[in-house]
PDB file of all heavy atoms in Angstrom:
ATOM      1  N   ASP A   1      90.743  86.012  90.125  1.00  0.00           N
ATOM      2  CA  ASP A   1      90.624  87.193  90.977  1.00  0.00           C
ATOM      3  C   ASP A   1      91.253  86.902  92.334  1.00  0.00           C
ATOM      4  O   ASP A   1      90.583  86.915  93.372  1.00  0.00           O
ATOM      5  CB  ASP A   1      89.126  87.556  91.114  1.00  0.00           C
ATOM      6  CG  ASP A   1      88.875  88.763  91.983  1.00  0.00           C
ATOM      7  OD1 ASP A   1      89.760  89.648  92.050  1.00  0.00           O
ATOM      8  OD2 ASP A   1      87.803  88.807  92.600  1.00  0.00           O
ATOM      9  N   ARG A   2      92.560  86.601  92.350  1.00  0.00           N
ATOM     10  CA  ARG A   2      93.220  86.177  93.580  1.00  0.00           C
ATOM     11  C   ARG A   2      93.242  87.283  94.635  1.00  0.00           C
ATOM     12  O   ARG A   2      93.328  87.004  95.829  1.00  0.00           O
ATOM     13  CB  ARG A   2      94.644  85.701  93.270  1.00  0.00           C
ATOM     14  CG  ARG A   2      94.668  84.391  92.509  1.00  0.00           C
ATOM     15  CD  ARG A   2      96.091  83.949  92.162  1.00  0.00           C
ATOM     16  NE  ARG A   2      96.666  84.752  91.097  1.00  0.00           N
ATOM     17  CZ  ARG A   2      97.898  84.579  90.644  1.00  0.00           C
ATOM     18  NH1 ARG A   2      98.675  83.661  91.160  1.00  0.00           N
ATOM     19  NH2 ARG A   2      98.370  85.342  89.672  1.00  0.00           N
ATOM     20  N   ARG A   3      93.150  88.556  94.205  1.00  0.00           N
ATOM     21  CA  ARG A   3      93.150  89.674  95.157  1.00  0.00           C
ATOM     22  C   ARG A   3      91.766  89.994  95.686  1.00  0.00           C
ATOM     23  O   ARG A   3      91.604  90.781  96.606  1.00  0.00           O
ATOM     24  CB  ARG A   3      93.757  90.923  94.503  1.00  0.00           C
ATOM     25  CG  ARG A   3      95.223  90.791  94.114  1.00  0.00           C
ATOM     26  CD  ARG A   3      95.673  92.013  93.348  1.00  0.00           C
ATOM     27  NE  ARG A   3      94.929  92.155  92.087  1.00  0.00           N
ATOM     28  CZ  ARG A   3      94.639  93.310  91.498  1.00  0.00           C
ATOM     29  NH1 ARG A   3      95.011  94.449  92.065  1.00  0.00           N
ATOM     30  NH2 ARG A   3      93.991  93.324  90.357  1.00  0.00           N
ATOM     31  N   GLY A   4      90.734  89.428  95.065  1.00  0.00           N
ATOM     32  CA  GLY A   4      89.374  89.658  95.511  1.00  0.00           C
ATOM     33  C   GLY A   4      88.862  91.049  95.235  1.00  0.00           C
ATOM     34  O   GLY A   4      88.179  91.643  96.080  1.00  0.00           O
ATOM     35  N   VAL A   5      89.139  91.596  94.027  1.00  0.00           N
ATOM     36  CA  VAL A   5      88.727  92.970  93.720  1.00  0.00           C
ATOM     37  C   VAL A   5      87.507  93.036  92.801  1.00  0.00           C
ATOM     38  O   VAL A   5      86.910  94.101  92.626  1.00  0.00           O
ATOM     39  CB  VAL A   5      89.896  93.744  93.062  1.00  0.00           C
ATOM     40  CG1 VAL A   5      91.070  93.842  94.015  1.00  0.00           C
ATOM     41  CG2 VAL A   5      90.324  93.118  91.737  1.00  0.00           C
ATOM     42  N   VAL A   6      87.113  91.917  92.208  1.00  0.00           N
ATOM     43  CA  VAL A   6      85.986  91.922  91.257  1.00  0.00           C
ATOM     44  C   VAL A   6      84.668  92.072  92.019  1.00  0.00           C
ATOM     45  O   VAL A   6      84.454  91.438  93.050  1.00  0.00           O
ATOM     46  CB  VAL A   6      85.986  90.642  90.420  1.00  0.00           C
ATOM     47  CG1 VAL A   6      84.697  90.523  89.588  1.00  0.00           C
ATOM     48  CG2 VAL A   6      87.207  90.613  89.492  1.00  0.00           C
ATOM     49  N   THR A   7      83.780  92.915  91.461  1.00  0.00           N
ATOM     50  CA  THR A   7      82.480  93.161  92.083  1.00  0.00           C
ATOM     51  C   THR A   7      81.356  92.589  91.231  1.00  0.00           C
ATOM     52  O   THR A   7      81.487  92.473  90.007  1.00  0.00           O
ATOM     53  CB  THR A   7      82.258  94.656  92.292  1.00  0.00           C
ATOM     54  OG1 THR A   7      82.421  95.337  91.031  1.00  0.00           O
ATOM     55  CG2 THR A   7      83.274  95.231  93.281  1.00  0.00           C
ATOM     56  N   LEU A   8      80.251  92.255  91.865  1.00  0.00           N
ATOM     57  CA  LEU A   8      79.151  91.577  91.180  1.00  0.00           C
ATOM     58  C   LEU A   8      78.319  92.471  90.283  1.00  0.00           C
ATOM     59  O   LEU A   8      77.374  92.011  89.638  1.00  0.00           O
ATOM     60  CB  LEU A   8      78.242  90.913  92.223  1.00  0.00           C
ATOM     61  CG  LEU A   8      78.816  89.655  92.877  1.00  0.00           C
ATOM     62  CD1 LEU A   8      77.947  89.242  94.061  1.00  0.00           C
ATOM     63  CD2 LEU A   8      78.939  88.519  91.883  1.00  0.00           C
ATOM     64  N   ASP A   9      78.668  93.769  90.202  1.00  0.00           N
ATOM     65  CA  ASP A   9      77.920  94.655  89.324  1.00  0.00           C
ATOM     66  C   ASP A   9      78.497  94.698  87.904  1.00  0.00           C
ATOM     67  O   ASP A   9      78.009  95.432  87.057  1.00  0.00           O
ATOM     68  CB  ASP A   9      77.881  96.081  89.903  1.00  0.00           C
ATOM     69  CG  ASP A   9      79.288  96.690  90.028  1.00  0.00           C
ATOM     70  OD1 ASP A   9      80.277  95.923  90.032  1.00  0.00           O
ATOM     71  OD2 ASP A   9      79.380  97.915  90.135  1.00  0.00           O
ATOM     72  N   LYS A  10      79.537  93.867  87.619  1.00  0.00           N
ATOM     73  CA  LYS A  10      80.164  93.897  86.303  1.00  0.00           C
ATOM     74  C   LYS A  10      79.322  93.155  85.280  1.00  0.00           C
ATOM     75  O   LYS A  10      78.481  92.308  85.615  1.00  0.00           O
ATOM     76  CB  LYS A  10      81.576  93.315  86.366  1.00  0.00           C
ATOM     77  CG  LYS A  10      82.483  93.929  87.422  1.00  0.00           C
ATOM     78  CD  LYS A  10      82.434  95.452  87.445  1.00  0.00           C
ATOM     79  CE  LYS A  10      83.119  96.091  86.251  1.00  0.00           C
ATOM     80  NZ  LYS A  10      83.124  97.568  86.333  1.00  0.00           N
ATOM     81  N   GLU A  11      79.551  93.476  84.022  1.00  0.00           N
ATOM     82  CA  GLU A  11      78.745  92.966  82.917  1.00  0.00           C
ATOM     83  C   GLU A  11      78.671  91.440  82.875  1.00  0.00           C
ATOM     84  O   GLU A  11      77.637  90.860  82.570  1.00  0.00           O
ATOM     85  CB  GLU A  11      79.324  93.483  81.593  1.00  0.00           C
ATOM     86  CG  GLU A  11      78.429  93.288  80.376  1.00  0.00           C
ATOM     87  CD  GLU A  11      77.230  94.212  80.380  1.00  0.00           C
ATOM     88  OE1 GLU A  11      77.208  95.178  81.164  1.00  0.00           O
ATOM     89  OE2 GLU A  11      76.301  93.957  79.595  1.00  0.00           O
ATOM     90  N   ILE A  12      79.788  90.783  83.170  1.00  0.00           N
ATOM     91  CA  ILE A  12      79.831  89.335  83.082  1.00  0.00           C
ATOM     92  C   ILE A  12      78.825  88.652  84.002  1.00  0.00           C
ATOM     93  O   ILE A  12      78.248  87.611  83.683  1.00  0.00           O
ATOM     94  CB  ILE A  12      81.263  88.805  83.377  1.00  0.00           C
ATOM     95  CG1 ILE A  12      81.385  87.343  82.981  1.00  0.00           C
ATOM     96  CG2 ILE A  12      81.649  89.025  84.837  1.00  0.00           C
ATOM     97  CD1 ILE A  12      81.273  87.090  81.501  1.00  0.00           C
ATOM     98  N   PHE A  13      78.528  89.297  85.131  1.00  0.00           N
ATOM     99  CA  PHE A  13      77.548  88.738  86.072  1.00  0.00           C
ATOM    100  C   PHE A  13      76.124  89.137  85.684  1.00  0.00           C
ATOM    101  O   PHE A  13      75.198  88.373  85.870  1.00  0.00           O
ATOM    102  CB  PHE A  13      77.844  89.221  87.484  1.00  0.00           C
ATOM    103  CG  PHE A  13      79.156  88.733  88.036  1.00  0.00           C
ATOM    104  CD1 PHE A  13      80.214  89.617  88.199  1.00  0.00           C
ATOM    105  CD2 PHE A  13      79.344  87.406  88.378  1.00  0.00           C
ATOM    106  CE1 PHE A  13      81.433  89.177  88.695  1.00  0.00           C
ATOM    107  CE2 PHE A  13      80.550  86.967  88.881  1.00  0.00           C
ATOM    108  CZ  PHE A  13      81.610  87.850  89.038  1.00  0.00           C
ATOM    109  N   LYS A  14      75.946  90.336  85.141  1.00  0.00           N
ATOM    110  CA  LYS A  14      74.602  90.822  84.805  1.00  0.00           C
ATOM    111  C   LYS A  14      74.058  90.178  83.544  1.00  0.00           C
ATOM    112  O   LYS A  14      72.902  89.771  83.481  1.00  0.00           O
ATOM    113  CB  LYS A  14      74.623  92.340  84.625  1.00  0.00           C
ATOM    114  CG  LYS A  14      74.904  93.098  85.911  1.00  0.00           C
ATOM    115  CD  LYS A  14      74.722  94.587  85.724  1.00  0.00           C
ATOM    116  CE  LYS A  14      75.751  95.180  84.764  1.00  0.00           C
ATOM    117  NZ  LYS A  14      75.632  96.645  84.650  1.00  0.00           N
ATOM    118  N   LYS A  15      74.910  90.067  82.512  1.00  0.00           N
ATOM    119  CA  LYS A  15      74.430  89.639  81.206  1.00  0.00           C
ATOM    120  C   LYS A  15      74.331  88.134  81.074  1.00  0.00           C
ATOM    121  O   LYS A  15      73.677  87.605  80.208  1.00  0.00           O
ATOM    122  CB  LYS A  15      75.361  90.189  80.115  1.00  0.00           C
ATOM    123  CG  LYS A  15      74.641  90.597  78.845  1.00  0.00           C
ATOM    124  CD  LYS A  15      75.598  91.310  77.910  1.00  0.00           C
ATOM    125  CE  LYS A  15      74.815  91.944  76.764  1.00  0.00           C
ATOM    126  NZ  LYS A  15      75.698  92.630  75.823  1.00  0.00           N
ATOM    127  N   ASN A  16      75.037  87.410  81.916  1.00  0.00           N
ATOM    128  CA  ASN A  16      75.120  85.967  81.780  1.00  0.00           C
ATOM    129  C   ASN A  16      74.637  85.271  83.049  1.00  0.00           C
ATOM    130  O   ASN A  16      75.327  84.455  83.630  1.00  0.00           O
ATOM    131  CB  ASN A  16      76.564  85.553  81.489  1.00  0.00           C
ATOM    132  CG  ASN A  16      77.118  86.258  80.270  1.00  0.00           C
ATOM    133  OD1 ASN A  16      76.749  85.946  79.164  1.00  0.00           O
ATOM    134  ND2 ASN A  16      78.007  87.228  80.484  1.00  0.00           N
ATOM    135  N   ASN A  17      73.416  85.631  83.463  1.00  0.00           N
ATOM    136  CA  ASN A  17      72.966  85.166  84.767  1.00  0.00           C
ATOM    137  C   ASN A  17      72.715  83.652  84.822  1.00  0.00           C
ATOM    138  O   ASN A  17      72.512  83.109  85.898  1.00  0.00           O
ATOM    139  CB  ASN A  17      71.706  85.935  85.229  1.00  0.00           C
ATOM    140  CG  ASN A  17      70.606  85.921  84.178  1.00  0.00           C
ATOM    141  OD1 ASN A  17      70.780  85.343  83.101  1.00  0.00           O
ATOM    142  ND2 ASN A  17      69.497  86.557  84.471  1.00  0.00           N
ATOM    143  N   ASN A  18      72.725  82.964  83.672  1.00  0.00           N
ATOM    144  CA  ASN A  18      72.591  81.509  83.689  1.00  0.00           C
ATOM    145  C   ASN A  18      73.847  80.827  83.187  1.00  0.00           C
ATOM    146  O   ASN A  18      73.870  79.615  83.024  1.00  0.00           O
ATOM    147  CB  ASN A  18      71.395  81.086  82.815  1.00  0.00           C
ATOM    148  CG  ASN A  18      70.058  81.520  83.412  1.00  0.00           C
ATOM    149  OD1 ASN A  18      69.848  81.375  84.608  1.00  0.00           O
ATOM    150  ND2 ASN A  18      69.200  82.059  82.587  1.00  0.00           N
ATOM    151  N   ARG A  19      74.882  81.578  82.931  1.00  0.00           N
ATOM    152  CA  ARG A  19      76.108  81.030  82.367  1.00  0.00           C
ATOM    153  C   ARG A  19      77.045  80.586  83.489  1.00  0.00           C
ATOM    154  O   ARG A  19      77.153  81.232  84.516  1.00  0.00           O
ATOM    155  CB  ARG A  19      76.781  82.122  81.511  1.00  0.00           C
ATOM    156  CG  ARG A  19      77.986  81.655  80.717  1.00  0.00           C
ATOM    157  CD  ARG A  19      78.336  82.783  79.774  1.00  0.00           C
ATOM    158  NE  ARG A  19      79.576  82.559  79.079  1.00  0.00           N
ATOM    159  CZ  ARG A  19      80.181  83.516  78.350  1.00  0.00           C
ATOM    160  NH1 ARG A  19      79.641  84.722  78.282  1.00  0.00           N
ATOM    161  NH2 ARG A  19      81.293  83.263  77.713  1.00  0.00           N
ATOM    162  N   THR A  20      77.718  79.468  83.271  1.00  0.00           N
ATOM    163  CA  THR A  20      78.606  78.941  84.291  1.00  0.00           C
ATOM    164  C   THR A  20      79.833  79.846  84.443  1.00  0.00           C
ATOM    165  O   THR A  20      80.513  80.160  83.459  1.00  0.00           O
ATOM    166  CB  THR A  20      79.055  77.516  83.927  1.00  0.00           C
ATOM    167  OG1 THR A  20      77.890  76.692  83.798  1.00  0.00           O
ATOM    168  CG2 THR A  20      79.941  76.938  85.030  1.00  0.00           C
ATOM    169  N   ILE A  21      80.117  80.239  85.678  1.00  0.00           N
ATOM    170  CA  ILE A  21      81.267  81.095  85.978  1.00  0.00           C
ATOM    171  C   ILE A  21      82.069  80.421  87.095  1.00  0.00           C
ATOM    172  O   ILE A  21      81.506  80.033  88.127  1.00  0.00           O
ATOM    173  CB  ILE A  21      80.824  82.495  86.408  1.00  0.00           C
ATOM    174  CG1 ILE A  21      80.114  83.211  85.243  1.00  0.00           C
ATOM    175  CG2 ILE A  21      82.039  83.331  86.879  1.00  0.00           C
ATOM    176  CD1 ILE A  21      79.497  84.556  85.634  1.00  0.00           C
ATOM    177  N   ILE A  22      83.374  80.253  86.883  1.00  0.00           N
ATOM    178  CA  ILE A  22      84.267  79.817  87.952  1.00  0.00           C
ATOM    179  C   ILE A  22      85.044  81.038  88.410  1.00  0.00           C
ATOM    180  O   ILE A  22      85.753  81.674  87.637  1.00  0.00           O
ATOM    181  CB  ILE A  22      85.215  78.709  87.452  1.00  0.00           C
ATOM    182  CG1 ILE A  22      84.407  77.472  87.059  1.00  0.00           C
ATOM    183  CG2 ILE A  22      86.264  78.355  88.523  1.00  0.00           C
ATOM    184  CD1 ILE A  22      85.242  76.365  86.449  1.00  0.00           C
ATOM    185  N   TRP A  23      84.879  81.374  89.683  1.00  0.00           N
ATOM    186  CA  TRP A  23      85.449  82.598  90.229  1.00  0.00           C
ATOM    187  C   TRP A  23      86.549  82.249  91.227  1.00  0.00           C
ATOM    188  O   TRP A  23      86.276  81.715  92.311  1.00  0.00           O
ATOM    189  CB  TRP A  23      84.326  83.390  90.903  1.00  0.00           C
ATOM    190  CG  TRP A  23      84.672  84.778  91.354  1.00  0.00           C
ATOM    191  CD1 TRP A  23      85.833  85.448  91.149  1.00  0.00           C
ATOM    192  CD2 TRP A  23      83.827  85.664  92.103  1.00  0.00           C
ATOM    193  NE1 TRP A  23      85.773  86.708  91.709  1.00  0.00           N
ATOM    194  CE2 TRP A  23      84.554  86.858  92.299  1.00  0.00           C
ATOM    195  CE3 TRP A  23      82.545  85.566  92.605  1.00  0.00           C
ATOM    196  CZ2 TRP A  23      84.021  87.935  92.990  1.00  0.00           C
ATOM    197  CZ3 TRP A  23      82.012  86.629  93.299  1.00  0.00           C
ATOM    198  CH2 TRP A  23      82.738  87.812  93.480  1.00  0.00           C
ATOM    199  N   VAL A  24      87.802  82.477  90.843  1.00  0.00           N
ATOM    200  CA  VAL A  24      88.924  82.264  91.736  1.00  0.00           C
ATOM    201  C   VAL A  24      89.036  83.501  92.640  1.00  0.00           C
ATOM    202  O   VAL A  24      89.400  84.572  92.195  1.00  0.00           O
ATOM    203  CB  VAL A  24      90.244  82.042  90.955  1.00  0.00           C
ATOM    204  CG1 VAL A  24      91.404  81.851  91.914  1.00  0.00           C
ATOM    205  CG2 VAL A  24      90.107  80.852  90.016  1.00  0.00           C
ATOM    206  N   ASN A  25      88.676  83.335  93.898  1.00  0.00           N
ATOM    207  CA  ASN A  25      88.577  84.473  94.806  1.00  0.00           C
ATOM    208  C   ASN A  25      88.961  84.010  96.197  1.00  0.00           C
ATOM    209  O   ASN A  25      88.348  83.104  96.754  1.00  0.00           O
ATOM    210  CB  ASN A  25      87.125  85.021  94.787  1.00  0.00           C
ATOM    211  CG  ASN A  25      86.950  86.267  95.621  1.00  0.00           C
ATOM    212  OD1 ASN A  25      87.529  86.387  96.701  1.00  0.00           O
ATOM    213  ND2 ASN A  25      86.144  87.188  95.144  1.00  0.00           N
ATOM    214  N   ASN A  26      89.982  84.632  96.781  1.00  0.00           N
ATOM    215  CA  ASN A  26      90.484  84.213  98.088  1.00  0.00           C
ATOM    216  C   ASN A  26      89.882  84.980  99.259  1.00  0.00           C
ATOM    217  O   ASN A  26      90.247  84.751 100.403  1.00  0.00           O
ATOM    218  CB  ASN A  26      92.008  84.365  98.142  1.00  0.00           C
ATOM    219  CG  ASN A  26      92.691  83.279  97.332  1.00  0.00           C
ATOM    220  OD1 ASN A  26      92.258  82.146  97.343  1.00  0.00           O
ATOM    221  ND2 ASN A  26      93.728  83.637  96.617  1.00  0.00           N
ATOM    222  N   THR A  27      88.968  85.886  98.982  1.00  0.00           N
ATOM    223  CA  THR A  27      88.361  86.661 100.064  1.00  0.00           C
ATOM    224  C   THR A  27      87.017  86.053 100.453  1.00  0.00           C
ATOM    225  O   THR A  27      86.475  85.185  99.758  1.00  0.00           O
ATOM    226  CB  THR A  27      88.145  88.124  99.627  1.00  0.00           C
ATOM    227  OG1 THR A  27      87.223  88.144  98.500  1.00  0.00           O
ATOM    228  CG2 THR A  27      89.446  88.758  99.192  1.00  0.00           C
ATOM    229  N   ASN A  28      86.474  86.489 101.564  1.00  0.00           N
ATOM    230  CA  ASN A  28      85.152  86.047 101.967  1.00  0.00           C
ATOM    231  C   ASN A  28      84.110  86.877 101.231  1.00  0.00           C
ATOM    232  O   ASN A  28      83.977  88.081 101.453  1.00  0.00           O
ATOM    233  CB  ASN A  28      84.976  86.210 103.481  1.00  0.00           C
ATOM    234  CG  ASN A  28      85.878  85.264 104.252  1.00  0.00           C
ATOM    235  OD1 ASN A  28      86.038  84.110 103.877  1.00  0.00           O
ATOM    236  ND2 ASN A  28      86.461  85.754 105.355  1.00  0.00           N
ATOM    237  N   VAL A  29      83.385  86.230 100.338  1.00  0.00           N
ATOM    238  CA  VAL A  29      82.399  86.956  99.520  1.00  0.00           C
ATOM    239  C   VAL A  29      81.313  87.557 100.387  1.00  0.00           C
ATOM    240  O   VAL A  29      80.809  88.648 100.121  1.00  0.00           O
ATOM    241  CB  VAL A  29      81.810  86.017  98.455  1.00  0.00           C
ATOM    242  CG1 VAL A  29      80.690  86.726  97.684  1.00  0.00           C
ATOM    243  CG2 VAL A  29      82.905  85.558  97.490  1.00  0.00           C
ATOM    244  N   GLY A  30      80.929  86.866 101.448  1.00  0.00           N
ATOM    245  CA  GLY A  30      80.023  87.460 102.429  1.00  0.00           C
ATOM    246  C   GLY A  30      78.553  87.252 102.176  1.00  0.00           C
ATOM    247  O   GLY A  30      77.730  87.634 102.996  1.00  0.00           O
ATOM    248  N   HIS A  31      78.178  86.657 101.044  1.00  0.00           N
ATOM    249  CA  HIS A  31      76.773  86.385 100.815  1.00  0.00           C
ATOM    250  C   HIS A  31      76.658  85.207  99.857  1.00  0.00           C
ATOM    251  O   HIS A  31      77.616  84.838  99.178  1.00  0.00           O
ATOM    252  CB  HIS A  31      76.056  87.618 100.230  1.00  0.00           C
ATOM    253  CG  HIS A  31      76.758  88.202  99.043  1.00  0.00           C
ATOM    254  ND1 HIS A  31      76.631  87.700  97.771  1.00  0.00           N
ATOM    255  CD2 HIS A  31      77.610  89.261  98.942  1.00  0.00           C
ATOM    256  CE1 HIS A  31      77.380  88.422  96.949  1.00  0.00           C
ATOM    257  NE2 HIS A  31      77.993  89.362  97.641  1.00  0.00           N
ATOM    258  N   GLU A  32      75.489  84.638  99.801  1.00  0.00           N
ATOM    259  CA  GLU A  32      75.271  83.451  98.963  1.00  0.00           C
ATOM    260  C   GLU A  32      75.288  83.842  97.491  1.00  0.00           C
ATOM    261  O   GLU A  32      74.678  84.833  97.092  1.00  0.00           O
ATOM    262  CB  GLU A  32      73.946  82.788  99.328  1.00  0.00           C
ATOM    263  CG  GLU A  32      73.720  81.466  98.644  1.00  0.00           C
ATOM    264  CD  GLU A  32      72.470  80.768  99.128  1.00  0.00           C
ATOM    265  OE1 GLU A  32      71.888  81.226 100.133  1.00  0.00           O
ATOM    266  OE2 GLU A  32      72.076  79.777  98.495  1.00  0.00           O
ATOM    267  N   LEU A  33      75.982  83.045  96.683  1.00  0.00           N
ATOM    268  CA  LEU A  33      76.082  83.315  95.259  1.00  0.00           C
ATOM    269  C   LEU A  33      75.072  82.483  94.474  1.00  0.00           C
ATOM    270  O   LEU A  33      74.645  81.417  94.942  1.00  0.00           O
ATOM    271  CB  LEU A  33      77.493  82.989  94.767  1.00  0.00           C
ATOM    272  CG  LEU A  33      78.626  83.858  95.294  1.00  0.00           C
ATOM    273  CD1 LEU A  33      79.972  83.266  94.905  1.00  0.00           C
ATOM    274  CD2 LEU A  33      78.504  85.284  94.776  1.00  0.00           C
ATOM    275  N   PRO A  34      74.679  82.933  93.282  1.00  0.00           N
ATOM    276  CA  PRO A  34      73.815  82.112  92.416  1.00  0.00           C
ATOM    277  C   PRO A  34      74.471  80.766  92.128  1.00  0.00           C
ATOM    278  O   PRO A  34      75.688  80.613  92.181  1.00  0.00           O
ATOM    279  CB  PRO A  34      73.709  82.955  91.140  1.00  0.00           C
ATOM    280  CG  PRO A  34      74.008  84.348  91.569  1.00  0.00           C
ATOM    281  CD  PRO A  34      74.997  84.231  92.671  1.00  0.00           C
ATOM    282  N   LYS A  35      73.667  79.758  91.798  1.00  0.00           N
ATOM    283  CA  LYS A  35      74.170  78.396  91.618  1.00  0.00           C
ATOM    284  C   LYS A  35      75.116  78.270  90.412  1.00  0.00           C
ATOM    285  O   LYS A  35      75.884  77.315  90.349  1.00  0.00           O
ATOM    286  CB  LYS A  35      72.993  77.432  91.455  1.00  0.00           C
ATOM    287  CG  LYS A  35      72.169  77.269  92.727  1.00  0.00           C
ATOM    288  CD  LYS A  35      71.042  76.271  92.531  1.00  0.00           C
ATOM    289  CE  LYS A  35      70.246  76.088  93.812  1.00  0.00           C
ATOM    290  NZ  LYS A  35      69.119  75.099  93.637  1.00  0.00           N
TER     291      LYS A  35
END
């Protein structure tokens, strides 16, 4: 997600809340993310 357009309300974040996710994001997310 080099443009920083992905939002945390998408299925991948909701359904897999314990699954490891590597998020390539060049923007300032602005809040603390889950571990």
Side-chain angles (χ1 to χ4, degrees):
D1 179 29
R2 290 178 287 179
R3 296 174 298 149
V5 298
V6 171
T7 55
L8 286 169
D9 61 341
K10 308 313 289 183
E11 192 72 13
I12 192 66
F13 296 108
K14 293 188 294 184
K15 216 172 191 181
N16 304 287
N17 52 0
N18 292 316
R19 188 170 172 191
T20 302
I21 296 173
I22 296 175
W23 189 5
V24 179
N25 185 321
N26 286 321
T27 62
N28 293 320
V29 174
H31 51 81
E32 188 174 349
L33 294 170
K35 292 182 179 180

